[in-house]
């Protein structure tokens, strides 16, 4: 005997809509996590770029960096609360600075860049003498960011 079906039942349609809705919610969760990880990667890349830029500045002023204490700063020292053009540290652009003034200028520029490019971050520079070499450690620290992907400190070391 041949049975004719007139259409799909309402239960089958509701079940298929439920399966599709669960799939879409899963994709939205994965997308949200992807955005958070991408943001974390961007911030850590920026931090690495800024830390290596500061290490380059130290290497340019090598004579002072190997013998003096000018290239040291703590996490909370010389902070900029926000990125305002009026706070931009100038003064050594003309090239008329002595090595100590250049070191102070480099640190202020670096701290200003941190405030502009990585708001809420803090940076420190320390060194340790090891024989005839000096090892600089540049550390960037980030605030906790609620339920987002936690950012670890970025630490860069260089030997002069």
């Amino acid at each position: 005997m041949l049975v004719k079906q007139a259409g799909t039942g309402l239960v089958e349609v509701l079940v298929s809509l439920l399966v599709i809705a669960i799939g879409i919610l899963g994709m939205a969760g994965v997308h949200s996590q992807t955005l958070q990880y991408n943001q974390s990667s961007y911030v850590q890349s920026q931090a690495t770029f800024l830390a290596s830029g500061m290490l380059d500045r130290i290497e340019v002023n090598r004579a002072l960096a190997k013998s003096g204490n000018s290239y040291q700063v703590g996490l909370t020292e010389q902070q900029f609360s926000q990125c305002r053009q009026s706070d931009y540290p100038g003064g050594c652009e003309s090239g008329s600075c002595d090595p100590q003034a250049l070191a102070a200028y480099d640190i202020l520029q670096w701290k200003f860049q941190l405030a502009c490019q990585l708001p809420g971050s803090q940076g420190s520079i320390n060194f340790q003498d090891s024989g005839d070499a000096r090892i600089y450690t540049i550390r960037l620290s980030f605030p906790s960011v609620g339920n987002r992907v936690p950012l670890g400190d970025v630490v860069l070391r260089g030997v002069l």
Side-chain angles (χ1 to χ4, degrees), residues 19-33:
V19 169
I20 290 171
I22 290 171
I24 289 174
L25 285 174
M27 287 175 40
V30 168
H31 182 68
S32 173
Q33 286 292 319

Side-chain angles (χ1 to χ4, degrees), residues 34-155:
T34 301
L35 290 176
Q36 289 176 4
Y37 283 113
N38 282 344
Q39 179 65 20
S40 173
S41 295
Y42 171 76
V43 168
Q44 289 191 345
S45 295
Q46 284 295 103
T48 303
F49 174 74
L50 289 170
S52 64
M54 188 62 213
L55 189 58
D56 289 343
R57 288 174 180 252
I58 292 170
E59 287 177 4
V60 167
N61 201 353
R62 181 179 284 273
L64 178 68
K66 281 194 76 127
S67 62
N69 295 335
S70 297
Y71 279 107
Q72 277 192 311
V73 66
L75 281 175
T76 58
E77 295 173 356
Q78 299 179 5
Q79 290 280 102
F80 288 89
S81 60
Q82 52 187 318
C83 180
R84 290 186 304 223
Q85 203 59 25
S86 61
D87 292 337
Y88 180 80
C92 283
E93 279 88 10
S94 64
S96 62
C97 287
D98 66 353
Q100 268 86 10
L102 182 60
Y105 170 76
D106 286 343
I107 290 172
L108 282 175
Q109 282 280 312
W110 183 61
K111 290 283 192 160
F112 184 76
Q113 288 175 337
L114 288 178
C116 291
Q117 294 179 17
L118 299 172
S121 64
Q122 297 175 324
S124 69
I125 305 169
N126 293 302
F127 67 83
Q128 177 180 351
D129 290 322
S130 176
D132 62 343
R134 183 169 273 189
I135 301 169
Y136 275 89
T137 303
I138 299 172
R139 177 178 167 224
L140 279 84
S141 183
F142 305 97
S144 59
V145 285
N147 62 354
R148 294 191 341 209
V149 177
L151 298 172
D153 290 356
V154 171
V155 178

